Amino acid sequence: MKNQILTAALSSVIMFQVSLLGAQSITLPPNGDNQRTETTQYLGAIAHVSVKYSSPDVTGPRGEDRKGKIWGGVVPYGLSDLQFGRGPVSPWRAGANENTVVEVSHDMLVEGQGLAAGAYGLHIIPEEEGPWTIIFSRNSHAWGSYSYDQDEDALRVRVTPQETAYTEWLTYDFIERHPNYTLMALRWENLQLPIRFELPDPKGIYVDNLKRELQGGHGFYSINYAEAAQYCVRENTHLEQALEWAEMALNMPWVGREDFTNLQTKAQVLAALDQKEESRKWMNRAIEHPSASATDLHQYGRELLAQGEIEEGLRVFRYNFDRFKGAWPTQVGMMRGLSAKGDYKAALKHARLALPQAPNDLNKSTLQTAIERLEQGLAVE
């Protein structure tokens, strides 16, 4: 009889617990009024670092002033016995309530050490003196540090805290922002803890992303292959891939097209690969192509002058002038080419002819300045 009563009681307890587990949770304010916050910083246009955390303030939950009592008090130095969880001692949760979670979109270097792309629980071991230990745990779903397990560490780094302006609410901010690295700083009270996140191969990230995009809808337009190749040339990276993209911009079935931009792109890639003669052949083909405009040729001529190739630049300007019969901006090109060669008298003649052709006030002002310099026997800037 007693066994039957005990069994019935246990069954009732189990059913009650099951019913609680199945109940839908209601939404209440966060514990201790520690507001949930999330911030993201991009490194360039693709890679990013995000941090999600609950933010306690220096003023206690009952209004008590805790200034001067945060570090070594509210946040103890070293490891702490939380009187719960796996124990026996645990690091600080780097915030309040649930895990502070840092997510990196790509493989990165954290303080010079590798961290794979993914989400990590952030924990900290503060020290009264010297650097602090920053822990990235593969467990990003725990509540605070109660379930912290050192075996789940993905990375530990050491960072020295710094004094900073007073901050009431614990805040994560990105205090340096660059295309290839950023500094994420934890700030609270009068202390900040900066952590450096860096991309080991920022150019490779863009090339990989370009590959993915060109496998999708972007791959149906030749201009996208040309722009991808041009990126590689500008950054002097993945040049063999750039040549493949340049070829696709010209010749890919149903997509490729032969025009000035795509021909010039192939010439630029070949030049970057140090194939100078082949590059000049393709550039001459681009110059003579029916799609080449007077502006296209003028810009190319200016690029040649900037590279110190004065004779070749003047040759392109002359071709442009003859082909488009002196139309804008071919007179300007002749002025610049002749000025670079030192023939200021001939350059002045073309500058004066170009002035009434100028399409706007900026061009007119620039030409007027050029005319004044040439009249004084000075080169056009």
Side-chain angles (χ1 to χ4, degrees):
M1 183 66 176
K2 290 182 179 180
N3 289 338
Q4 291 176 340
I5 294 173
L6 180 59
T7 300
L10 287 172
S11 297
S12 297
V13 171
I14 293 170
M15 291 300 295
F16 178 68
Q17 291 177 336
V18 169
S19 67
L20 287 178
L21 290 172
Q24 185 172 355
S25 299
I26 59 176
T27 301
L28 296 174
N31 181 39
D33 199 27
N34 300 314
Q35 303 298 320
R36 196 74 171 144
T37 307
E38 183 173 5
T39 185
T40 297
Q41 178 61 44
Y42 276 78
L43 291 76
I46 301 172
H48 58 271
V49 180
S50 298
V51 57
K52 184 184 293 185
Y53 61 102
S54 290
S55 180
D57 57 339
V58 173
T59 303
R62 290 176 294 279
E64 63 270 29
D65 184 2
R66 302 189 293 184
K67 291 179 183 176
K69 303 175 184 178
I70 295 299
W71 308 111
V74 175
V75 180
Y77 292 125
L79 299 169
S80 302
D81 185 353
L82 302 179
Q83 303 294 318
F84 183 79
R86 293 183 177 182
V89 290
S90 301
W92 177 47
R93 72 185 77 185
N97 298 345
E98 305 99 320
N99 258 7
T100 296
V101 178
V102 171
E103 184 171 1
V104 292
S105 63
H106 294 72
D107 294 353
M108 293 194 188
L109 298 175
V110 180
E111 293 296 320
Q113 299 187 46
L115 183 68
Y120 299 91
L122 185 68
H123 305 272
I124 296 175
I125 304 176
E127 301 291 351
E128 190 168 3
E129 294 183 0
W132 294 10
T133 300
I134 314 297
I135 303 168
F136 294 85
S137 171
R138 288 186 292 273
N139 182 352
S140 63
H141 306 289
W143 183 276
S145 297
Y146 294 118
S147 300
Y148 172 75
D149 184 344
Q150 186 171 339
D151 290 341
E152 294 175 331
D153 286 3
L155 177 66
R156 286 189 173 206
V157 296
R158 302 272 282 169
V159 175
T160 301
Q162 305 167 350
E163 291 186 5
T164 189
Y166 178 79
T167 305
E168 172 70 14
W169 295 91
L170 184 150
T171 301
Y172 284 88
D173 192 12
F174 292 91
I175 59 175
E176 287 195 28
R177 310 174 187 191
H178 303 273
N180 63 325
Y181 80 91
T182 186
L183 284 183
M184 182 185 80
L186 179 159
R187 288 176 164 172
W188 199 18
E189 201 188 33
N190 292 107
L191 179 146
Q192 73 174 12
L193 193 68
I195 308 169
R196 181 184 175 105
F197 292 81
E198 183 175 3
L199 294 171
D201 182 17
K203 296 175 184 178
I205 287 174
Y206 283 96
V207 171
D208 289 343
N209 190 66
L210 287 168
K211 290 178 182 178
R212 285 191 294 271
E213 289 185 340
L214 291 172
Q215 290 171 349
H218 295 85
F220 291 97
Y221 302 92
S222 68
I223 187 62
N224 290 331
Y225 291 97
E227 288 182 353
Q230 289 164 9
Y231 166 78
C232 294
V233 171
R234 287 195 304 274
E235 298 298 329
N236 192 32
T237 188
H238 295 76
L239 295 178
E240 292 297 338
Q241 176 64 74
L243 184 58
E244 180 181 331
W245 281 333
E247 293 284 1
M248 294 173 80
L250 284 167
N251 302 312
M252 186 176 179
W254 305 103
V255 173
R257 54 178 294 176
E258 184 173 302
D259 59 19
F260 175 82
T261 297
N262 293 343
L263 289 166
Q264 183 185 41
T265 297
K266 182 171 180 178
Q268 291 169 336
V269 176
L270 290 167
L273 288 167
D274 204 30
Q275 300 181 32
K276 304 300 183 183
E277 291 187 10
E278 192 71 6
S279 171
R280 184 57 54 85
K281 182 183 76 173
W282 283 93
M283 196 63 229
N284 286 336
R285 187 167 169 179
I287 291 169
E288 296 170 3
H289 197 272
S291 66
S293 69
T295 301
D296 290 331
L297 300 182
H298 179 76
Q299 185 59 40
Y300 176 58
R302 293 201 62 175
E303 291 172 7
L304 289 169
L305 293 187
Q307 296 165 11
E309 298 188 40
I310 295 173
E311 290 294 340
E312 181 61 17
L314 183 56
R315 183 187 75 82
V316 171
F317 286 134
R318 288 190 192 280
Y319 173 80
N320 199 23
F321 179 81
D322 293 340
R323 176 172 169 175
F324 291 97
K325 299 178 172 55
W328 178 267
T330 64
Q331 298 278 11
V332 179
M334 290 298 298
M335 173 198 74
R336 290 192 175 278
L338 290 166
S339 172
K341 193 171 175 60
D343 190 346
Y344 301 143
K345 183 177 180 180
L348 179 60
K349 173 186 173 183
H350 287 283
R352 287 171 173 163
L353 291 171
L355 185 59
Q357 296 178 326
N360 53 51
D361 290 341
L362 178 60
N363 290 122
K364 289 177 182 178
S365 176
T366 301
L367 279 167
Q368 190 60 57
T369 299
I371 289 171
E372 292 172 1
R373 289 185 62 84
L374 290 168
E375 286 175 341
Q376 299 173 40
L378 299 174
V380 175
E381 294 181 339

